[in-house]
């Protein structure tokens, strides 16, 4: 199949982007790495009149550490995240997660901002952002605003981005002392979207788990923060009984809709297995 | 002594110089393809080229109440738009039946369906435009009103026949076959142990790198049709285009430039391809159709989809007494033309139990119509099913008897000394090497040590499994495959070899190249037979206007049949060259030989005459040769296998897996294949064929399935959702060979291309079930997804 015809613009500044978005409204789409958008065009699943390529907008690429925050620019590629010593040091969860993003060819081109803005429920970054309580920087013509990850993902491919706004960065708090992270996912083939995955971040001091943030991917339209499971763990060592209680709690909070290859029961079972494994890894 | 001469390459005691045969030389076309200089259909540029796109049914079964193409026809760039009736004026419908499949029936199938679509994706209109994109734009302006009809997607419902898809046929049964040697009930009555299992096989498809592609160029001035086609069988297609478009066969030329993979997908008649050719005639201009990936998933033939119940009877000592098989398979709404969709089920009946020496066998097999895409012959046709259910039930019997599965096979495999041998289903084996293969495999994989390791790891809650799968395989089919049933599909193939004035050899072969290296293998045989260096041979294939008549490459026939024709042509050319040399040198022909592109003294190997000099004399100064002598430096030879219906090969595979019993994920640790394809022409090519085949078999076992909803909608028709096996998950695949050349041919080559696919699913299944044995859990429905493994374990 061939993409329907579209116009293409590559503005050199943020204001140029906003101008085009304002003028063309929902007939325009922002193009970053294009790893999802171009495929959807070629499948004729979407037919925007204009692609606004933000590749030449300055200031959207790069990873910087300022105080207790790591800022990742929207155009930063998966590969840059994968190879970043700052991410490895301060955001070990993201460093583990990025290795599961598709294949090297896609990681070379696909971007952080593209993945967040698309909000695929099975993608790795959204769950990591929720687990780490990241904040997204959304820029509009008039102002910039910040939205916490948990409020950003609204539904299936639905985010807090307003018409005319552009996601320009994510800000992650650096991993605190005594905290550990584990990212696990189950995919039939390396690089596939996960059947189910977990981004877990918790304090593990003294053999006890506290302040656990357990974000699941591919179990709902958005990443799901398993708060009841976390509550079951709070302040306890992750022994078999505690783990079982946390696993049981997932049944109430994960929707886990069936997909092509797995029923709800299978997905829930796999989520529980992953939780058990994540807790085991956190405690090690 | 060099005796390249007239002996079979495998004659006992012969010190035949095999030349390049048996050597892993690189294939000559690899560099061209790697440099991006291949010429696939979509690379061709023609003046006035039009692109056709198809308006396809969104429903699995629906009546087309109204079709309005007028708006689509007015869109920018659109040249024409046609419905089924318009195209039928130029292209006769066909019926996919064969005379030797008694009772097989199928409705007429049109290039573009008229009034009714019987599966999702069936084309009901064509739009022709200046570009593909314009055509696709215009498709959105086709107006169609549909009345949905009752849909049959379940095989057993199809068999029950409450809803009949084709009222004229009376029921949904396309073909049925029974087989009974007699004595089966008696064997079961006296058996000490009976085991039974029902196996299910998902529908899947062969995903070729290059999609189906055709460019048809009708020339009204000559009433000729030239078709550039990504096909495995150019002469078959020449005949089909001729008969269905009403153009004399001599006026139809089918050319296969590079073909990017086939696996049997490209050996069938596809309605959209026939429509493309018809539209070229209608519009009197070149017209191209390239199936995109979504169309490929919807309309490339699917395969498998079987449900089979098998029982075997054994003695306490572990002797198999009888097999009893019931098989049901669904093929979509039409039997595919011209090979029919009855062959896969037929093969299952022929091959089930095939490696073993029991004498009692009964089978009942039904092929039914459903409202899904059609199925037909795909790599290893029927074998993966027959092997998996045979080897699955054999493992089950061994388990019940407490006998090691390797030992159980050793007890029951047909002895290597028993040939020629006729299997109870009627198929005949010239010579197989089951026991040699089994011994080699067990040694290669260190079977005993693996078993010990498996036991030790179980204590650590690591669940590994070892699965074996012995197999037999149909290769080099004789006319018994299709010809006797009335199909105009050549069972013989030919090769023309020509010595050029420069001493080069041109080899023109009727077998075809689809990326597997056929041309490389033919070059090796030609160079060896004539006595020239490999780089002195050029191979031409895939052009009905140029090559001898032949079947093409499918059913593992390229090397065995096409290769023998090249060998015979090469020997004849060599003989003719020596005759010319004898005249030039005034020497006795018997004293001469050809080595390294030079005529030499046979005994001393002293150079007497370079071929380039011989060529100069023969072509430009024949006046210096004796008056009555005419050189013949172009020769053609043909070959047909006739003594046996098929040249059976055999082999055995093993798979080592680790099952994560919490997640149901299966990790492939290693895979082994020992197979016997007779004379090996190029070990590297053969090993890669085996490996590629194993990977496709693993795809069937673990990943690939065309999933349909109850309404007949394909749910995973894209590469994102349909899981093809990828390199990261594939294990190392160790390949070894036993060489038992058939005596029917001098080359002694049997087919190798399908062996991997035939045996791998059974080996994987047995390995998984071996890993699950401590839990008394079993899987029997392919693909073995994590969910199915978890269900077997009772966890979900």
């Amino acid at each position: 199949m061939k993409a329907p015809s579209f116009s293409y613009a590559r503005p050199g500044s943020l204001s140029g982007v906003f101008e085009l978005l304002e003028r063309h409204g929902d007939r325009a789409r922002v193009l970053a790495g294009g790893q999802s958008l171009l495929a959807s065009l070629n499948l004729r699943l979407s037919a925007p009149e204009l692609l606004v390529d933000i590749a030449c907008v300055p200031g959207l690429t790069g990873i910087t550490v300022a105080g207790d925050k790591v800022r990742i620019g929207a155009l930063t590629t998966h590969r840059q995240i994968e190879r970043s010593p700052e991410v490895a040091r301060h955001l070990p969860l993201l460093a583990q997660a990025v290795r599961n993003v598709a294949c090297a060819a896609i990681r070379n081109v696909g971007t952080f901002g593209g993945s967040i803005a698309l909000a695929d429920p099975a993608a790795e970054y959204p769950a990591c952002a929720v687990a780490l309580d990241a904040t997204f920087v959304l820029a509009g013509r008039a102002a910039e605003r910040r939205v916490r990850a948990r409020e950003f993902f609204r539904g299936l491919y639905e985010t807090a981005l307003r018409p005319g706004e552009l996601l320009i960065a994510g800000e992650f708090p650096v991993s605190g002392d005594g905290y550990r992270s584990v990212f696990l996912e189950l995919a039939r083939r390396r690089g596939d979207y996960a059947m189910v995955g977990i981004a877990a971040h918790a304090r593990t001091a003294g053999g006890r788990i506290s302040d656990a943030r357990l974000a699941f991917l591919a179990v709902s339209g958005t990443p799901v923060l398993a708060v009841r499971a976390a509550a079951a763990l709070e302040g306890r060592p992750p022994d078999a009984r505690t783990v079982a209680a946390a696993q049981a709690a997932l049944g109430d909070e994960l929707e886990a809709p069936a997909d092509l290859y797995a029923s709800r029961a299978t997905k829930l079972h796999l989520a529980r297995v992953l939780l058990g494994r994540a807790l085991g890894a956190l405690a090690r | 002594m060099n005796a390249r001469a007239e002996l079979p390459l495998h004659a006992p005691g012969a010190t035949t110089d095999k030349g390049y045969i048996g050597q892993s030389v690189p294939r000559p076309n690899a560099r061209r393809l790697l440099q991006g200089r291949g010429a696939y259909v979509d690379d061709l540029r023609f003046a006035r080229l039009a692109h056709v796109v198809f308006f396809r049914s969104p429903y699995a079964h629906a009546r087309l109440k109204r079709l309005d193409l007028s708006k689509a026809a007015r869109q920018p760039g659109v040249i024409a738009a046609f419905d089924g009736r318009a195209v039928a004026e130029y292209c006769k419908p066909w019926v996919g039946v064969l005379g030797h499949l008694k009772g097989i029936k199928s409705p007429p199938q049109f290039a573009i369906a008229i009034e009714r679509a019987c599966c999702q994706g069936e084309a009901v209109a064509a739009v022709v435009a200046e570009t593909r994109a314009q055509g696709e734009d215009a498709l959105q302006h086709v107006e169609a009103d549909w009345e949905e009809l009752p849909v049959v997607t379940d095989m057993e419902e199809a068999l029950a026949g409450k809803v009949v898809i084709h009222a004229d046929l009376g029921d949904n049964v396309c073909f049925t076959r029974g087989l009974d040697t007699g004595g089966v009930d008696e064997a079961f009555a006296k058996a000490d142990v009976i085991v039974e299992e029902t196996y299910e096989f998902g529908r899947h498809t062969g995903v070729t790198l290059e999609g189906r592609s055709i460019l048809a160029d009708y020339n009204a001035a000559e009433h000729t049709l030239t078709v550039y086609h990504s096909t495995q069988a150019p002469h078959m297609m020449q005949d089909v285009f001729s008969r269905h478009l009403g153009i004399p066969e001599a006026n139809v030329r089918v050319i296969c430039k590079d073909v990017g993979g086939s696996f049997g997908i490209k050996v069938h008649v596809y309605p959209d391809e026939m429509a493309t050719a018809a539209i070229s005639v209608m519009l009197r201009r070149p017209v191209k159709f390239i199936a995109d990936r979504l169309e490929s998933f919807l309309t490339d033939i699917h395969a498998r989809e079987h449900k089979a119940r098998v029982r075997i009877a054994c003695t306490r000592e572990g002797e198999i007494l009888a097999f009893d098989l019931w098989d049901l398979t669904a093929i979509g709404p039409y039997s595919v033309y011209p090979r029919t969709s009855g062959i896969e089920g037929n093969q299952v009946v022929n091959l089930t139990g095939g490696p073993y020496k029991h004498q009692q066998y009964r089978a009942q097999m039904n092929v039914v119509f459903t409202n899904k895409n059609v199925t037909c012959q795909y790599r290893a046709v029927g074998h993966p099913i027959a092997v998996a259910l045979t080897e699955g039930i054999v493992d089950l019997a061994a388990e019940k008897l407490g006998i090691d599965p390797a030992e159980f096979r050793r007890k029951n495999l047909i002895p290597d000394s028993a040939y020629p041998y006729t299997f109870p289903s009627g198929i005949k084996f010239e010579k197989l090497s089951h026991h040699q293969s089994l011994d080699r495999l067990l040694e290669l994989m260190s079977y005993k040590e693996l078993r010990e390791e498996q036991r030790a790891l179980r204590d650590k809650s690591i669940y590994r499994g070892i699965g074996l799968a012995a197999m037999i395989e149909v290769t080099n089919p004789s006319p018994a495959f299709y010809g006797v049933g009335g199909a105009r599909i050549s069972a013989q193939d030919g090769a023309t070899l020509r010595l050029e004035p420069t001493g080069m050899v041109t080899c023109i072969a009727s077998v075809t190249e689809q990326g597997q290296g056929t041309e490389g293998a033919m070059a090796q045989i030609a160079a060896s037979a004539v006595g020239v260096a490999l780089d002195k041979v050029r191979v031409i294939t895939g052009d009905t206007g140029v090559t001898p008549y032949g079947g093409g490459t499918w059913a593992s026939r390229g090397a065995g049949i096409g290769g023998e024709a090249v060998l015979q042509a090469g020997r004849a050319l060599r003989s003719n060259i020596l005759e010319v040399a004898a005249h030039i040198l005034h020497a006795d022909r018997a004293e001469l030989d050809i080595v390294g592109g030079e005529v030499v003294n046979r005994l001393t190997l002293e150079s007497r005459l370079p071929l380039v000099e011989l060529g100069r004399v023969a072509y430009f100064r024949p006046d210096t040769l004796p008056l009555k002598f005419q050189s013949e430096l172009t020769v053609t030879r043909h070959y047909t296998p006739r003594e046996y219906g098929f040249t059976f090969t055999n082999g055995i595979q093993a798979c080592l897996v680790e099952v994560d019993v919490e997640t149901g994920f299966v990790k492939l640790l290693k895979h082994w294949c020992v197979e016997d394809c007779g004379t090996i022409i190029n070990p590297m090519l053969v090993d890669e064929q085996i490996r590629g085949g194993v990977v496709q078999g693993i795809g069937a076992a673990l990943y690939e399935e065309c999933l349909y909803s109850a309404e007949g909608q394909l749910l995973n028709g894209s590469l994102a959702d349909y899981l093809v096996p990828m390199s990261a998950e594939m294990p190392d695949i160790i390949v070894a060979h036993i060489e038992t050349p058939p005596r029917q041919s001098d080359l002694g080559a049997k087919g190798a291309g399908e062996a991997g696919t035939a045996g791998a699913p059974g080996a994987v299944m047995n390995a998984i079930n071996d890993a699950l044995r401590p839990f008394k859990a079993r899987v029997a429905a392919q693909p073995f997804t994590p969910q199915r493994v978890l269900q077997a374990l009772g966890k979900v």
Side-chain angles (χ1 to χ4, degrees), chain A residues 1-5 43-44 186-190 192 195 260-263 265-266 269-270 273 277, chain B residues 132-133 136-137 140 292 294 660 662-663 665 702-703 715-716 721 723-724 726 729 786-787 790 796:
Chain A
M1 235 189 235
K2 309 290 180 195
S5 63
L43 291 167
R44 290 192 178 233
L186 289 167
R188 299 279 297 281
R189 302 174 305 174
R190 190 174 300 173
D192 278 353
M195 292 172 77
L260 281 170
Y261 296 99
S263 65
T266 297
H269 169 82
L270 294 176
V273 171
R277 290 181 179 181
Chain B
R132 170 90 186 206
E136 288 179 8
D137 286 342
Q140 328 226 337
D292 70 23
L294 302 182
D660 182 335
E662 289 187 321
T663 63
F665 275 58
L702 294 181
Y703 299 105
L715 300 173
N716 60 343
D721 294 324
L723 307 180
V724 292
M726 303 292 273
E729 281 67 46
Q787 175 161 300
L790 289 172
V796 297

Coordinates of all heavy atoms in Angstrom, one line a residue, chain A residues 1-5 43-44 186-190 192 195 260-263 265-266 269-270 273 277, chain B residues 132-133 136-137 140 292 294 660 662-663 665 702-703 715-716 721 723-724 726 729 786-787 790 796:
Chain A
M1 N 0.8 -1.2 0.0 CA 0.0 0.0 0.0 C 0.9 1.2 0.0 O 2.0 1.2 0.5 CB -0.9 0.0 1.3 CG -2.3 0.1 0.9 SD -3.2 0.4 2.5 CE -4.4 -1.0 2.4
K2 N 0.4 2.3 -0.6 CA 1.1 3.5 -0.6 C 0.4 4.6 0.3 O -0.8 4.6 0.3 CB 1.1 4.1 -2.1 CG 1.6 3.1 -3.1 CD 3.1 2.8 -3.0 CE 3.5 1.8 -4.1 NZ 4.8 1.2 -3.8
A3 N 1.2 5.4 0.9 CA 0.6 6.4 1.7 C -0.2 7.4 0.9 O 0.1 7.7 -0.3 CB 1.7 7.2 2.5
P4 N -1.4 7.9 1.4 CA -2.1 8.9 0.7 C -1.2 10.1 0.6 O -0.3 10.3 1.4 CB -3.3 9.2 1.5 CG -3.1 8.5 2.9 CD -2.0 7.6 2.7
S5 N -1.4 11.0 -0.4 CA -0.5 12.1 -0.6 C -0.7 13.1 0.6 O -1.7 13.3 1.1 CB -0.6 12.8 -1.9 OG -1.9 13.3 -2.0
L43 N -0.2 2.2 5.9 CA -1.3 1.3 6.0 C -2.6 2.1 5.7 O -3.7 1.5 5.9 CB -1.3 0.7 7.4 CG -0.2 -0.3 7.7 CD1 -0.1 -0.6 9.2 CD2 -0.4 -1.6 6.9
R44 N -2.5 3.3 5.4 CA -3.7 4.2 5.2 C -4.5 4.2 6.5 O -5.8 4.3 6.4 CB -4.5 3.8 4.0 CG -3.7 4.2 2.7 CD -4.6 4.1 1.5 NE -3.8 4.5 0.3 CZ -4.1 5.4 -0.6 NH1 -5.3 6.0 -0.5 NH2 -3.4 5.7 -1.6
L186 N 7.6 -9.5 28.9 CA 7.5 -10.7 28.1 C 7.1 -10.4 26.7 O 6.0 -9.9 26.5 CB 6.6 -11.7 28.8 CG 7.0 -12.3 30.1 CD1 5.8 -12.9 30.9 CD2 8.1 -13.3 29.9
A187 N 8.0 -10.7 25.8 CA 7.6 -10.5 24.4 C 7.9 -11.9 23.7 O 8.9 -12.5 24.0 CB 8.4 -9.4 23.7
R188 N 7.0 -12.2 22.7 CA 7.2 -13.5 22.0 C 8.5 -13.5 21.3 O 9.2 -14.5 21.2 CB 6.1 -13.8 21.1 CG 4.7 -13.9 21.7 CD 4.4 -15.2 22.3 NE 4.4 -16.3 21.3 CZ 3.4 -16.5 20.5 NH1 2.3 -15.8 20.6 NH2 3.5 -17.5 19.6
R189 N 8.8 -12.4 20.7 CA 10.1 -12.2 19.9 C 10.8 -11.0 20.4 O 10.2 -10.0 20.8 CB 9.8 -12.1 18.4 CG 9.0 -13.3 17.8 CD 8.7 -13.0 16.4 NE 8.0 -11.8 16.2 CZ 7.6 -11.3 15.1 NH1 7.9 -11.9 14.0 NH2 7.0 -10.1 15.0
R190 N 12.1 -11.1 20.4 CA 12.9 -9.9 20.9 C 12.5 -8.7 20.1 O 12.5 -8.7 18.9 CB 14.4 -10.2 20.8 CG 15.2 -9.1 21.5 CD 16.7 -9.5 21.4 NE 16.9 -10.8 22.1 CZ 18.1 -11.4 22.1 NH1 19.1 -10.9 21.4 NH2 18.2 -12.6 22.7
D192 N 9.6 -7.2 20.0 CA 8.1 -7.0 19.8 C 7.6 -6.2 21.0 O 8.1 -6.2 22.1 CB 7.4 -8.4 19.9 CG 7.5 -9.1 18.5 OD1 8.0 -8.5 17.6 OD2 7.1 -10.3 18.5
M195 N 3.8 -8.6 25.6 CA 2.5 -9.2 26.0 C 2.1 -8.5 27.4 O 0.9 -8.2 27.6 CB 2.6 -10.7 26.3 CG 2.8 -11.5 25.0 SD 3.1 -13.2 25.5 CE 1.4 -13.8 25.8
L260 N -4.5 -10.8 20.8 CA -4.6 -11.9 19.8 C -4.2 -13.2 20.3 O -4.7 -14.3 19.9 CB -3.7 -11.5 18.6 CG -4.2 -10.5 17.6 CD1 -3.1 -10.1 16.6 CD2 -5.4 -11.1 16.9
Y261 N -3.2 -13.3 21.2 CA -2.5 -14.5 21.5 C -2.7 -14.9 23.0 O -2.3 -16.0 23.4 CB -1.1 -14.5 21.2 CG -0.8 -14.3 19.7 CD1 -0.5 -13.1 19.2 CD2 -0.9 -15.4 18.9 CE1 -0.2 -13.0 17.8 CE2 -0.7 -15.3 17.5 CZ -0.3 -14.1 17.0 OH -0.1 -13.9 15.6
A262 N -3.3 -14.0 23.8 CA -3.4 -14.3 25.2 C -4.7 -13.8 25.8 O -5.1 -12.7 25.5 CB -2.3 -13.7 26.0
S263 N -5.4 -14.7 26.6 CA -6.6 -14.3 27.2 C -6.3 -13.4 28.4 O -5.2 -13.2 28.8 CB -7.4 -15.5 27.7 OG -6.5 -16.1 28.8
A265 N -7.0 -14.1 31.4 CA -6.5 -14.9 32.5 C -4.9 -15.1 32.3 O -4.2 -15.1 33.3 CB -7.2 -16.3 32.5
T266 N -4.5 -15.3 31.1 CA -3.1 -15.5 30.8 C -2.3 -14.3 31.1 O -1.3 -14.3 31.7 CB -2.9 -15.9 29.3 OG1 -3.6 -17.2 29.1 CG2 -1.5 -16.1 29.0
H269 N -2.1 -13.7 34.8 CA -1.1 -14.7 35.3 C 0.3 -14.2 35.0 O 1.2 -14.3 35.9 CB -1.3 -16.1 34.7 CG -0.3 -17.1 35.0 ND1 -0.2 -17.8 36.1 CD2 0.8 -17.5 34.2 CE1 0.9 -18.6 36.1 NE2 1.5 -18.4 35.0
L270 N 0.6 -13.8 33.8 CA 1.9 -13.4 33.4 C 2.3 -12.1 34.2 O 3.5 -12.0 34.6 CB 2.0 -13.1 31.9 CG 1.8 -14.4 31.0 CD1 1.9 -14.0 29.6 CD2 2.9 -15.4 31.3
V273 N 3.4 -13.3 37.5 CA 4.7 -13.9 37.5 C 5.8 -12.8 37.4 O 6.8 -12.9 38.1 CB 4.8 -14.9 36.3 CG1 6.3 -15.3 36.1 CG2 3.9 -16.1 36.4
R277 N 8.9 -11.9 39.9 CA 10.3 -11.9 39.5 C 10.9 -10.5 39.7 O 12.1 -10.4 40.1 CB 10.4 -12.3 38.0 CG 10.1 -13.7 37.8 CD 10.2 -14.2 36.4 NE 9.9 -15.6 36.3 CZ 9.9 -16.3 35.2 NH1 10.2 -15.7 34.0 NH2 9.6 -17.6 35.2
Chain B
R132 N 0.3 3.4 -8.6 CA -0.4 2.6 -7.6 C -1.1 3.4 -6.6 O -2.2 3.1 -6.2 CB 0.7 1.7 -6.9 CG 0.3 1.0 -5.6 CD -0.2 -0.4 -6.0 NE -0.8 -1.0 -4.8 CZ -0.9 -2.3 -4.6 NH1 -0.4 -3.1 -5.5 NH2 -1.4 -2.8 -3.5
A133 N -0.5 4.6 -6.2 CA -1.1 5.4 -5.2 C -2.4 6.0 -5.7 O -3.4 6.0 -5.0 CB -0.2 6.6 -4.8
E136 N -5.0 3.3 -5.5 CA -5.5 3.1 -4.1 C -6.4 4.3 -3.7 O -7.4 4.1 -3.0 CB -4.3 3.0 -3.1 CG -3.6 1.7 -3.3 CD -2.4 1.5 -2.4 OE1 -2.1 2.4 -1.5 OE2 -1.6 0.5 -2.6
D137 N -6.1 5.5 -4.1 CA -7.0 6.6 -3.8 C -8.3 6.4 -4.4 O -9.4 6.6 -3.8 CB -6.4 7.9 -4.4 CG -5.2 8.5 -3.6 OD1 -5.0 8.1 -2.5 OD2 -4.5 9.3 -4.2
Q140 N -11.1 4.1 -2.9 CA -12.0 4.6 -1.8 C -13.3 5.1 -2.4 O -14.2 5.5 -1.7 CB -11.2 5.7 -1.0 CG -9.8 5.4 -1.0 CD -9.2 5.6 0.4 OE1 -9.7 6.3 1.2 NE2 -8.1 5.0 0.7
D292 N 0.8 -6.2 -2.0 CA 1.5 -5.6 -0.9 C 1.4 -6.5 0.3 O 0.7 -7.6 0.2 CB 1.0 -4.2 -0.6 CG -0.4 -4.1 0.0 OD1 -0.9 -5.1 0.6 OD2 -1.0 -3.1 -0.1
L294 N -0.2 -6.5 3.1 CA -1.5 -6.8 3.6 C -2.3 -7.8 2.7 O -3.0 -8.7 3.1 CB -2.3 -5.5 3.8 CG -1.7 -4.5 4.7 CD1 -2.6 -3.3 4.9 CD2 -1.4 -5.1 6.1
D660 N 9.9 -22.5 30.3 CA 9.7 -21.7 31.5 C 8.3 -22.1 32.0 O 7.3 -21.6 31.4 CB 9.8 -20.2 31.2 CG 9.6 -19.3 32.4 OD1 8.9 -19.8 33.4 OD2 10.1 -18.2 32.4
E662 N 6.6 -21.2 34.4 CA 5.7 -20.2 35.0 C 5.1 -19.3 33.9 O 4.0 -18.8 34.1 CB 6.6 -19.3 35.9 CG 7.0 -19.9 37.2 CD 7.7 -18.9 38.1 OE1 8.5 -18.1 37.6 OE2 7.4 -19.0 39.3
T663 N 5.9 -19.0 32.8 CA 5.3 -18.2 31.8 C 4.8 -18.9 30.6 O 4.2 -18.3 29.7 CB 6.4 -17.2 31.3 OG1 7.5 -17.9 30.7 CG2 7.0 -16.3 32.4
F665 N 6.7 -19.8 28.2 CA 7.6 -19.5 27.1 C 8.6 -20.7 26.9 O 9.1 -21.3 27.8 CB 8.4 -18.2 27.4 CG 7.7 -17.0 27.1 CD1 6.5 -16.7 27.6 CD2 8.3 -16.1 26.1 CE1 5.8 -15.5 27.3 CE2 7.6 -14.9 25.8 CZ 6.4 -14.6 26.4
L702 N 5.8 -22.7 16.8 CA 5.8 -21.7 18.0 C 5.1 -20.4 17.7 O 4.7 -19.7 18.6 CB 7.2 -21.5 18.5 CG 8.0 -22.6 19.1 CD1 9.4 -22.2 19.5 CD2 7.2 -23.2 20.2
Y703 N 5.2 -20.0 16.5 CA 4.8 -18.6 16.2 C 3.7 -18.3 15.2 O 2.8 -17.5 15.5 CB 6.0 -17.8 15.7 CG 7.2 -17.8 16.6 CD1 8.3 -18.6 16.4 CD2 7.2 -17.0 17.8 CE1 9.4 -18.6 17.3 CE2 8.2 -17.0 18.6 CZ 9.3 -17.8 18.4 OH 10.4 -17.8 19.3
L715 N -7.4 -11.7 11.6 CA -7.2 -10.8 12.7 C -5.7 -10.4 12.8 O -5.5 -9.4 13.5 CB -7.5 -11.5 14.0 CG -9.0 -12.0 14.1 CD1 -9.2 -12.8 15.4 CD2 -9.9 -10.8 14.2
N716 N -4.9 -11.0 12.1 CA -3.4 -10.7 12.3 C -2.7 -10.6 11.0 O -1.6 -11.1 10.8 CB -2.8 -11.6 13.2 CG -2.8 -13.1 12.7 OD1 -3.6 -13.4 11.9 ND2 -1.9 -13.9 13.3
D721 N 1.6 -8.3 13.6 CA 0.7 -9.2 14.4 C 1.0 -10.7 14.1 O 0.8 -11.5 14.9 CB -0.8 -8.9 14.2 CG -1.1 -7.5 14.7 OD1 -0.6 -7.1 15.8 OD2 -1.9 -6.8 14.1
L723 N 3.4 -13.5 13.6 CA 4.7 -13.7 14.1 C 5.6 -14.6 13.2 O 5.4 -15.8 13.3 CB 4.7 -14.2 15.5 CG 3.8 -13.4 16.5 CD1 3.9 -13.9 17.9 CD2 4.2 -11.9 16.5
V724 N 6.4 -14.0 12.4 CA 7.4 -14.9 11.7 C 8.6 -15.1 12.6 O 8.9 -14.2 13.4 CB 7.8 -14.3 10.3 CG1 6.7 -14.3 9.3 CG2 8.4 -12.9 10.5
M726 N 12.1 -15.0 14.0 CA 13.2 -14.1 13.8 C 14.5 -14.7 14.3 O 14.5 -15.5 15.2 CB 12.9 -12.7 14.5 CG 11.6 -12.1 14.0 SD 11.6 -11.5 12.3 CE 12.3 -9.9 12.6
E729 N 15.5 -15.5 18.2 CA 14.9 -16.6 18.9 C 15.4 -18.0 18.4 O 15.1 -19.0 18.9 CB 13.4 -16.6 18.8 CG 12.7 -15.6 19.8 CD 13.1 -14.2 19.5 OE1 13.0 -13.8 18.3 OE2 13.4 -13.4 20.4
P786 N 2.7 -19.4 24.5 CA 2.8 -19.5 25.9 C 1.4 -19.8 26.6 O 1.4 -20.6 27.6 CB 3.2 -18.1 26.3 CG 4.0 -17.6 25.1 CD 3.3 -18.2 23.9
Q787 N 0.4 -19.3 26.0 CA -0.9 -19.6 26.6 C -1.3 -21.1 26.6 O -1.8 -21.7 27.5 CB -2.0 -18.8 25.9 CG -3.4 -19.1 26.4 CD -4.4 -18.0 26.1 OE1 -4.3 -16.9 26.5 NE2 -5.4 -18.4 25.3
L790 N 0.7 -22.9 29.1 CA 0.2 -22.6 30.5 C -1.1 -23.4 30.7 O -1.4 -23.9 31.8 CB -0.1 -21.1 30.7 CG 1.2 -20.2 30.8 CD1 0.9 -18.8 30.8 CD2 2.0 -20.6 32.1
V796 N -3.6 -21.6 33.7 CA -4.6 -20.6 33.3 C -5.8 -21.3 32.7 O -5.7 -22.5 32.3 CB -4.1 -19.6 32.2 CG1 -3.0 -18.7 32.8 CG2 -3.7 -20.2 30.9

